[in-house]
Amino acid sequence: MITAVRHLGPNWYASVMGTAVLATAGAALPLPGPPPGLRTVCAAVWALSLLMLVTLLAARALHWRHHHDQARAHLLDPATAPFYGCLAMALLAVGGGAVAVGRDLIGTPAAVALDAVLFTAGTAVGVAAAVAVPYLMAVHHRVRSDQASPVWLLPLVAPMVSAALGPLLVPHLPPGQPRGTLLLGCVALFGLSLLATLLMLPLVFARLLTGGPLPLALTPTLFLVLGPLGQSTTAAGNFADVARGTVPGAGSAAFSAFAVLYGVPVMGFALLWLCLAGAHVLRARRLGMRFTLTWWAFTFPVGTCVTGAESLALHTGLAVLDALAIVLYGVLLAAWGAAALGTARGLLSGALPAAPPPAPAAPRPVRVRTTSGAAR
Protein backbone atom coordinates (compact mmCIF):
# COMPACT_ATOMS: atom_id res chain seq x y z
CA MET A 1 0.00 0.00 0.00
CA ILE A 2 2.79 2.42 0.91
CA THR A 3 4.58 1.77 -2.40
CA ALA A 4 1.35 1.95 -4.37
CA VAL A 5 0.67 5.54 -3.33
CA ARG A 6 4.04 6.93 -4.42
CA HIS A 7 2.61 8.34 -7.65
CA LEU A 8 -0.79 9.20 -6.19
CA GLY A 9 -0.91 12.86 -7.18
CA PRO A 10 -3.47 15.54 -6.34
CA ASN A 11 -5.01 15.04 -9.80
CA TRP A 12 -6.90 12.05 -8.37
CA TYR A 13 -9.24 14.41 -6.52
CA ALA A 14 -10.80 15.21 -9.91
CA SER A 15 -12.57 11.85 -9.75
CA VAL A 16 -14.24 12.91 -6.48
CA MET A 17 -15.33 16.22 -8.01
CA GLY A 18 -16.79 14.54 -11.07
CA THR A 19 -18.71 12.00 -9.02
CA ALA A 20 -20.10 14.57 -6.56
CA VAL A 21 -21.37 16.89 -9.30
CA LEU A 22 -23.05 13.94 -11.02
CA ALA A 23 -25.19 13.58 -7.88
CA THR A 24 -25.97 17.24 -7.23
CA ALA A 25 -26.70 18.11 -10.85
CA GLY A 26 -28.89 15.04 -11.28
CA ALA A 27 -30.97 15.82 -8.20
CA ALA A 28 -31.86 19.29 -9.53
CA LEU A 29 -32.71 18.35 -13.11
CA PRO A 30 -35.80 20.23 -14.34
CA LEU A 31 -37.65 17.11 -15.49
CA PRO A 32 -41.41 17.37 -16.10
CA GLY A 33 -41.93 14.08 -14.29
CA PRO A 34 -38.83 12.98 -12.35
CA PRO A 35 -38.35 9.20 -12.57
CA PRO A 36 -39.14 7.38 -9.31
CA GLY A 37 -36.01 6.81 -7.29
CA LEU A 38 -33.94 9.52 -9.02
CA ARG A 39 -33.04 11.24 -5.76
CA THR A 40 -32.24 7.89 -4.18
CA VAL A 41 -29.79 7.11 -6.98
CA CYS A 42 -28.28 10.59 -6.72
CA ALA A 43 -27.93 10.18 -2.96
CA ALA A 44 -26.13 6.88 -3.51
CA VAL A 45 -23.75 8.54 -6.00
CA TRP A 46 -23.07 11.28 -3.46
CA ALA A 47 -22.30 8.61 -0.83
CA LEU A 48 -19.83 7.10 -3.31
CA SER A 49 -18.14 10.48 -3.71
CA LEU A 50 -17.87 10.80 0.08
CA LEU A 51 -16.29 7.35 0.30
CA MET A 52 -13.87 8.24 -2.50
CA LEU A 53 -12.93 11.47 -0.72
CA VAL A 54 -12.21 9.75 2.59
CA THR A 55 -10.17 7.04 0.82
CA LEU A 56 -8.13 9.57 -1.14
CA LEU A 57 -7.48 11.75 1.89
CA ALA A 58 -6.12 8.71 3.74
CA ALA A 59 -4.03 7.60 0.77
CA ARG A 60 -2.64 11.10 0.22
CA ALA A 61 -1.73 11.28 3.91
CA LEU A 62 0.30 8.10 3.42
CA HIS A 63 1.84 9.64 0.33
CA TRP A 64 3.00 12.72 2.25
CA ARG A 65 4.18 10.61 5.19
CA HIS A 66 6.21 8.03 3.29
CA HIS A 67 7.01 9.76 -0.03
CA HIS A 68 7.77 13.30 1.02
CA ASP A 69 10.33 13.64 -1.77
CA GLN A 70 7.70 12.86 -4.39
CA ALA A 71 5.18 15.18 -2.74
CA ARG A 72 7.70 18.02 -2.85
CA ALA A 73 8.46 17.17 -6.48
CA HIS A 74 4.75 17.52 -7.25
CA LEU A 75 4.73 21.04 -5.81
CA LEU A 76 7.77 22.01 -7.86
CA ASP A 77 6.39 20.50 -11.07
CA PRO A 78 4.42 23.06 -13.13
CA ALA A 79 2.33 20.24 -14.60
CA THR A 80 1.25 18.90 -11.20
CA ALA A 81 1.16 21.82 -8.74
CA PRO A 82 -2.06 23.35 -10.19
CA PHE A 83 -3.90 20.13 -9.32
CA TYR A 84 -3.77 21.12 -5.65
CA GLY A 85 -6.82 23.18 -6.52
CA CYS A 86 -8.62 19.86 -7.02
CA LEU A 87 -8.26 19.04 -3.30
CA ALA A 88 -10.20 22.17 -2.39
CA MET A 89 -12.85 21.54 -5.02
CA ALA A 90 -13.29 17.91 -3.97
CA LEU A 91 -13.91 18.98 -0.36
CA LEU A 92 -16.36 21.66 -1.49
CA ALA A 93 -18.21 19.45 -3.98
CA VAL A 94 -18.82 16.69 -1.46
CA GLY A 95 -19.81 19.22 1.21
CA GLY A 96 -22.27 20.97 -1.08
CA GLY A 97 -23.66 17.63 -2.17
CA ALA A 98 -24.35 16.76 1.46
CA VAL A 99 -26.86 19.61 1.75
CA ALA A 100 -28.23 19.24 -1.78
CA VAL A 101 -28.89 15.50 -1.77
CA GLY A 102 -26.89 13.75 0.95
CA ARG A 103 -29.36 14.90 3.58
CA ASP A 104 -31.73 12.22 2.29
CA LEU A 105 -29.33 9.64 3.72
CA ILE A 106 -27.80 11.26 6.80
CA GLY A 107 -30.42 13.84 7.77
CA THR A 108 -30.33 17.62 7.47
CA PRO A 109 -28.48 18.42 10.74
CA ALA A 110 -25.64 16.01 9.92
CA ALA A 111 -25.53 17.20 6.30
CA VAL A 112 -25.26 20.85 7.36
CA ALA A 113 -22.55 20.02 9.91
CA LEU A 114 -20.58 18.03 7.33
CA ASP A 115 -20.91 20.80 4.75
CA ALA A 116 -19.81 23.43 7.27
CA VAL A 117 -16.61 21.49 7.97
CA LEU A 118 -15.84 20.70 4.33
CA PHE A 119 -16.76 24.20 3.13
CA THR A 120 -14.45 25.80 5.69
CA ALA A 121 -11.58 23.45 4.89
CA GLY A 122 -12.14 23.62 1.12
CA THR A 123 -12.31 27.41 1.08
CA ALA A 124 -9.12 27.73 3.14
CA VAL A 125 -7.27 25.28 0.88
CA GLY A 126 -8.70 26.91 -2.25
CA VAL A 127 -7.65 30.44 -1.34
CA ALA A 128 -4.21 29.18 -0.29
CA ALA A 129 -3.82 27.36 -3.62
CA ALA A 130 -4.98 30.43 -5.56
CA VAL A 131 -2.10 32.37 -3.98
CA ALA A 132 0.59 29.71 -3.59
CA VAL A 133 0.44 28.04 -7.01
CA PRO A 134 0.79 31.25 -9.08
CA TYR A 135 3.60 32.27 -6.72
CA LEU A 136 5.39 28.96 -7.32
CA MET A 137 4.85 29.32 -11.06
CA ALA A 138 6.44 32.77 -11.03
CA VAL A 139 9.31 32.10 -8.64
CA HIS A 140 10.21 28.41 -8.96
CA HIS A 141 8.58 26.91 -12.04
CA ARG A 142 9.63 29.62 -14.50
CA VAL A 143 7.11 28.51 -17.12
CA ARG A 144 6.96 29.99 -20.62
CA SER A 145 3.92 31.32 -22.42
CA ASP A 146 4.12 28.48 -24.95
CA GLN A 147 3.56 26.05 -22.06
CA ALA A 148 0.22 27.61 -21.08
CA SER A 149 -2.37 24.97 -20.27
CA PRO A 150 -5.98 24.95 -19.07
CA VAL A 151 -4.63 23.12 -16.01
CA TRP A 152 -3.34 26.53 -14.84
CA LEU A 153 -6.97 27.48 -14.17
CA LEU A 154 -7.50 24.82 -11.48
CA PRO A 155 -6.24 26.73 -8.43
CA LEU A 156 -8.03 29.88 -9.60
CA VAL A 157 -11.40 28.16 -10.00
CA ALA A 158 -11.44 26.71 -6.47
CA PRO A 159 -12.66 29.98 -4.83
CA MET A 160 -15.47 30.10 -7.40
CA VAL A 161 -16.64 26.68 -6.21
CA SER A 162 -16.74 28.12 -2.68
CA ALA A 163 -18.73 31.08 -4.01
CA ALA A 164 -21.25 28.77 -5.68
CA LEU A 165 -21.72 26.34 -2.79
CA GLY A 166 -21.44 28.70 0.18
CA PRO A 167 -24.97 30.04 -0.31
CA LEU A 168 -26.34 26.58 0.51
CA LEU A 169 -25.31 27.22 4.11
CA VAL A 170 -26.81 30.72 4.34
CA PRO A 171 -30.37 29.63 5.27
CA HIS A 172 -28.95 27.51 8.10
CA LEU A 173 -27.28 30.51 9.79
CA PRO A 174 -29.00 32.94 12.17
CA PRO A 175 -30.69 35.86 10.36
CA GLY A 176 -28.89 39.18 10.16
CA GLN A 177 -25.13 39.57 10.31
CA PRO A 178 -24.16 35.87 9.97
CA ARG A 179 -26.19 35.36 6.80
CA GLY A 180 -25.15 38.66 5.26
CA THR A 181 -21.49 38.06 6.05
CA LEU A 182 -21.42 34.62 4.43
CA LEU A 183 -23.31 35.80 1.35
CA LEU A 184 -21.07 38.79 0.72
CA GLY A 185 -18.01 36.69 1.53
CA CYS A 186 -19.09 34.36 -1.27
CA VAL A 187 -19.52 37.36 -3.58
CA ALA A 188 -15.93 38.38 -2.75
CA LEU A 189 -14.72 34.87 -3.60
CA PHE A 190 -16.69 35.13 -6.85
CA GLY A 191 -14.80 38.31 -7.76
CA LEU A 192 -11.46 36.87 -6.70
CA SER A 193 -11.83 33.85 -8.95
CA LEU A 194 -13.51 35.61 -11.86
CA LEU A 195 -10.89 38.34 -12.24
CA ALA A 196 -8.02 35.87 -11.86
CA THR A 197 -9.61 33.62 -14.49
CA LEU A 198 -10.05 36.53 -16.89
CA LEU A 199 -6.31 37.20 -16.58
CA MET A 200 -5.41 33.57 -17.27
CA LEU A 201 -7.81 32.69 -20.09
CA PRO A 202 -6.11 34.89 -22.72
CA LEU A 203 -2.84 33.00 -22.12
CA VAL A 204 -4.57 29.66 -22.63
CA PHE A 205 -6.44 30.78 -25.73
CA ALA A 206 -3.35 32.41 -27.26
CA ARG A 207 -1.32 29.25 -26.65
CA LEU A 208 -4.00 27.20 -28.40
CA LEU A 209 -4.13 29.45 -31.45
CA THR A 210 -0.42 30.16 -31.86
CA GLY A 211 1.12 26.96 -30.51
CA GLY A 212 -1.18 24.45 -32.15
CA PRO A 213 -3.25 21.69 -30.53
CA LEU A 214 -2.33 20.39 -27.10
CA PRO A 215 -0.56 17.03 -26.79
CA LEU A 216 -3.06 14.18 -27.14
CA ALA A 217 -3.01 13.21 -23.47
CA LEU A 218 -3.72 16.79 -22.41
CA THR A 219 -6.47 17.51 -24.93
CA PRO A 220 -9.28 16.68 -22.44
CA THR A 221 -8.03 19.51 -20.20
CA LEU A 222 -9.57 21.96 -22.66
CA PHE A 223 -12.85 21.17 -20.91
CA LEU A 224 -11.45 22.75 -17.74
CA VAL A 225 -12.22 26.17 -19.22
CA LEU A 226 -15.90 25.33 -18.76
CA GLY A 227 -15.39 25.15 -14.99
CA PRO A 228 -15.22 28.87 -14.17
CA LEU A 229 -17.93 29.62 -16.75
CA GLY A 230 -20.52 27.15 -15.48
CA GLN A 231 -19.60 27.58 -11.83
CA SER A 232 -19.84 31.38 -11.95
CA THR A 233 -23.27 31.11 -13.58
CA THR A 234 -24.32 28.73 -10.81
CA ALA A 235 -22.92 31.07 -8.18
CA ALA A 236 -24.82 34.07 -9.53
CA GLY A 237 -28.04 32.09 -9.43
CA ASN A 238 -27.41 30.83 -5.91
CA PHE A 239 -26.73 34.40 -4.74
CA ALA A 240 -30.15 35.41 -6.02
CA ASP A 241 -31.80 32.40 -4.35
CA VAL A 242 -30.62 33.34 -0.86
CA ALA A 243 -30.59 37.14 -1.24
CA ARG A 244 -34.30 37.33 -0.44
CA GLY A 245 -34.50 37.99 3.26
CA THR A 246 -30.74 38.38 3.54
CA VAL A 247 -30.00 41.56 1.59
CA PRO A 248 -32.24 44.52 2.47
CA GLY A 249 -33.94 46.90 0.07
CA ALA A 250 -33.39 46.61 -3.65
CA GLY A 251 -30.35 44.39 -3.20
CA SER A 252 -32.37 41.21 -3.62
CA ALA A 253 -33.80 42.35 -6.96
CA ALA A 254 -30.31 43.35 -8.10
CA PHE A 255 -29.00 39.86 -7.38
CA SER A 256 -31.89 38.34 -9.36
CA ALA A 257 -31.22 40.61 -12.34
CA PHE A 258 -27.48 39.89 -12.17
CA ALA A 259 -28.10 36.13 -12.20
CA VAL A 260 -29.76 36.42 -15.62
CA LEU A 261 -27.79 39.29 -17.16
CA TYR A 262 -24.49 37.64 -16.24
CA GLY A 263 -25.46 34.01 -16.64
CA VAL A 264 -26.99 34.06 -20.12
CA PRO A 265 -23.97 35.51 -22.04
CA VAL A 266 -21.51 33.44 -20.03
CA MET A 267 -23.48 30.28 -20.76
CA GLY A 268 -23.42 31.25 -24.42
CA PHE A 269 -19.63 31.42 -24.36
CA ALA A 270 -19.52 28.13 -22.45
CA LEU A 271 -21.46 26.43 -25.24
CA LEU A 272 -19.06 27.89 -27.80
CA TRP A 273 -16.08 26.56 -25.85
CA LEU A 274 -17.79 23.18 -25.41
CA CYS A 275 -18.05 22.84 -29.18
CA LEU A 276 -14.43 23.96 -29.69
CA ALA A 277 -13.08 21.61 -27.01
CA GLY A 278 -15.24 18.77 -28.34
CA ALA A 279 -13.81 19.23 -31.83
CA HIS A 280 -10.26 19.03 -30.44
CA VAL A 281 -11.13 15.86 -28.53
CA LEU A 282 -12.60 14.20 -31.62
CA ARG A 283 -9.42 15.06 -33.51
CA ALA A 284 -7.28 13.66 -30.71
CA ARG A 285 -9.30 10.42 -30.66
CA ARG A 286 -8.78 10.00 -34.40
CA LEU A 287 -5.04 10.43 -33.81
CA GLY A 288 -5.00 7.73 -31.13
CA MET A 289 -5.67 9.48 -27.82
CA ARG A 290 -5.84 6.85 -25.09
CA PHE A 291 -7.34 6.98 -21.63
CA THR A 292 -5.52 8.92 -18.94
CA LEU A 293 -6.74 10.53 -15.73
CA THR A 294 -7.17 13.76 -17.69
CA TRP A 295 -10.46 12.24 -18.90
CA TRP A 296 -11.94 13.31 -15.55
CA ALA A 297 -11.70 16.85 -16.97
CA PHE A 298 -14.80 15.93 -18.98
CA THR A 299 -16.91 15.59 -15.82
CA PHE A 300 -16.86 18.39 -13.25
CA PRO A 301 -16.63 21.28 -15.75
CA VAL A 302 -19.58 19.92 -17.74
CA GLY A 303 -21.40 19.37 -14.43
CA THR A 304 -21.02 23.05 -13.57
CA CYS A 305 -22.61 23.92 -16.90
CA VAL A 306 -25.52 21.63 -16.00
CA THR A 307 -26.04 23.39 -12.67
CA GLY A 308 -25.63 26.75 -14.39
CA ALA A 309 -28.30 25.88 -16.95
CA GLU A 310 -30.56 24.60 -14.15
CA SER A 311 -30.16 27.89 -12.31
CA LEU A 312 -30.92 29.95 -15.43
CA ALA A 313 -33.97 27.80 -16.14
CA LEU A 314 -35.22 28.47 -12.62
CA HIS A 315 -34.74 32.24 -12.86
CA THR A 316 -36.08 32.70 -16.39
CA GLY A 317 -38.73 30.00 -16.66
CA LEU A 318 -37.60 29.22 -20.22
CA ALA A 319 -38.21 25.67 -21.39
CA VAL A 320 -35.21 25.82 -23.72
CA LEU A 321 -32.92 26.11 -20.69
CA ASP A 322 -34.64 23.11 -19.11
CA ALA A 323 -33.84 21.17 -22.27
CA LEU A 324 -30.25 22.45 -22.27
CA ALA A 325 -29.71 21.26 -18.70
CA ILE A 326 -31.06 17.80 -19.55
CA VAL A 327 -28.91 17.47 -22.68
CA LEU A 328 -25.79 18.60 -20.85
CA TYR A 329 -26.51 16.12 -18.08
CA GLY A 330 -26.60 13.38 -20.68
CA VAL A 331 -23.14 14.50 -21.79
CA LEU A 332 -22.00 14.49 -18.16
CA LEU A 333 -23.36 11.01 -17.59
CA ALA A 334 -21.55 9.64 -20.64
CA ALA A 335 -18.32 11.41 -19.67
CA TRP A 336 -18.46 10.10 -16.11
CA GLY A 337 -19.06 6.57 -17.36
CA ALA A 338 -16.07 6.72 -19.70
CA ALA A 339 -13.76 8.19 -17.05
CA ALA A 340 -14.92 5.80 -14.33
CA LEU A 341 -14.56 2.75 -16.59
CA GLY A 342 -11.06 3.78 -17.69
CA THR A 343 -10.01 4.41 -14.10
CA ALA A 344 -11.38 1.06 -12.91
CA ARG A 345 -9.51 -0.75 -15.68
CA GLY A 346 -6.30 1.08 -14.81
CA LEU A 347 -6.61 0.18 -11.13
CA LEU A 348 -7.34 -3.47 -11.87
CA SER A 349 -4.48 -3.76 -14.35
CA GLY A 350 -2.01 -1.98 -12.06
CA ALA A 351 -1.37 0.79 -14.59
CA LEU A 352 -2.76 3.28 -12.07
CA PRO A 353 -1.98 5.20 -9.99
CA ALA A 354 0.56 6.94 -12.16
CA ALA A 355 2.13 10.36 -12.12
CA PRO A 356 0.29 13.18 -13.92
CA PRO A 357 1.51 13.87 -17.46
CA PRO A 358 4.54 16.16 -17.79
CA ALA A 359 4.17 19.77 -18.81
CA PRO A 360 3.77 20.12 -22.56
CA ALA A 361 6.95 20.95 -24.37
CA ALA A 362 7.29 23.99 -26.56
CA PRO A 363 5.93 23.45 -30.08
CA ARG A 364 8.47 22.41 -32.65
CA PRO A 365 9.55 25.12 -35.09
CA VAL A 366 8.12 24.65 -38.54
CA ARG A 367 9.36 25.75 -41.93
CA VAL A 368 6.90 27.49 -44.20
CA ARG A 369 7.25 28.58 -47.79
CA THR A 370 6.26 32.08 -48.85
CA THR A 371 4.51 32.91 -52.10
CA SER A 372 7.90 33.83 -53.55
CA GLY A 373 9.17 30.32 -52.92
CA ALA A 374 11.62 31.26 -50.17
CA ALA A 375 11.65 29.02 -47.09
CA ARG A 376 11.32 30.69 -43.73
Side-chain angles (χ1 to χ4, degrees):
M1 174 63 180
I2 293 176
T3 304
V5 300
R6 176 166 178 78
H7 294 297
L8 188 73
N11 55 329
W12 275 83
Y13 287 111
S15 62
V16 178
M17 297 156 52
T19 303
V21 80
L22 184 69
T24 54
L29 279 176
L31 298 171
L38 175 61
R39 280 194 64 90
T40 302
V41 172
C42 290
V45 174
W46 171 81
L48 174 62
S49 71
L50 176 61
L51 177 62
M52 293 168 63
L53 176 63
V54 172
T55 302
L56 274 175
L57 288 174
R60 286 284 295 165
L62 287 175
H63 172 84
W64 273 92
R65 174 67 178 83
H66 298 283
H67 302 288
H68 186 71
D69 61 323
Q70 187 71 7
R72 178 175 173 79
H74 285 168
L75 282 173
L76 298 180
D77 181 0
T80 308
F83 283 99
Y84 274 90
C86 291
L87 166 58
M89 291 186 280
L91 295 169
L92 293 162
V94 173
V99 173
V101 69
R103 66 175 187 268
D104 294 355
L105 295 179
I106 62 177
T108 299
V112 172
L114 178 61
D115 188 18
V117 172
L118 294 180
F119 174 79
T120 301
T123 300
V125 173
V127 172
V131 175
V133 174
Y135 175 82
L136 288 173
M137 292 174 68
V139 175
H140 294 287
H141 297 165
R142 300 298 176 89
V143 293
R144 303 185 307 273
S145 59
D146 55 28
Q147 293 176 303
S149 163
V151 172
W152 290 5
L153 292 169
L154 287 172
L156 305 179
V157 178
M160 186 65 78
V161 180
S162 294
L165 298 179
L168 298 179
L169 288 171
V170 170
H172 301 282
L173 293 176
Q177 290 287 330
R179 290 187 182 183
T181 299
L182 178 56
L183 175 57
L184 293 186
C186 290
V187 174
L189 290 169
F190 175 94
L192 181 161
S193 180
L194 179 63
L195 294 177
T197 298
L198 291 177
L199 290 174
M200 189 67 74
L201 271 179
L203 297 178
V204 175
F205 195 43
R207 157 63 182 87
L208 190 63
L209 294 182
T210 61
L214 295 178
L216 296 184
L218 293 182
T219 301
T221 64
L222 287 172
F223 276 71
L224 294 177
V225 174
L226 296 174
L229 304 176
Q231 199 66 279
S232 62
T233 302
T234 303
N238 288 345
F239 295 160
D241 291 340
V242 300
R244 302 181 188 91
T246 302
V247 179
S252 176
F255 273 110
S256 295
F258 178 72
V260 176
L261 295 177
Y262 172 86
V264 171
V266 170
M267 184 58 65
F269 180 69
L271 294 177
L272 168 66
W273 192 271
L274 177 62
C275 294
L276 176 63
H280 275 266
V281 169
L282 291 176
R283 170 189 174 276
R285 285 292 286 170
R286 289 197 302 268
L287 295 178
M289 181 184 74
R290 297 179 178 274
F291 172 79
T292 66
L293 286 178
T294 57
W295 281 34
W296 283 104
F298 296 140
T299 58
F300 188 77
V302 173
T304 66
C305 291
V306 176
T307 57
E310 291 170 345
S311 177
L312 285 175
L314 178 64
H315 287 94
T316 62
L318 295 179
V320 67
L321 291 172
D322 290 340
L324 176 62
I326 295 170
V327 170
L328 289 176
Y329 190 77
V331 175
L332 170 62
L333 193 60
W336 184 88
L341 181 60
T343 302
R345 286 176 175 173
L347 289 171
L348 292 175
S349 68
L352 295 175
R364 295 180 179 179
V366 296
R367 293 174 61 85
V368 298
R369 190 169 297 276
T370 66
T371 54
S372 64
R376 299 180 61 183

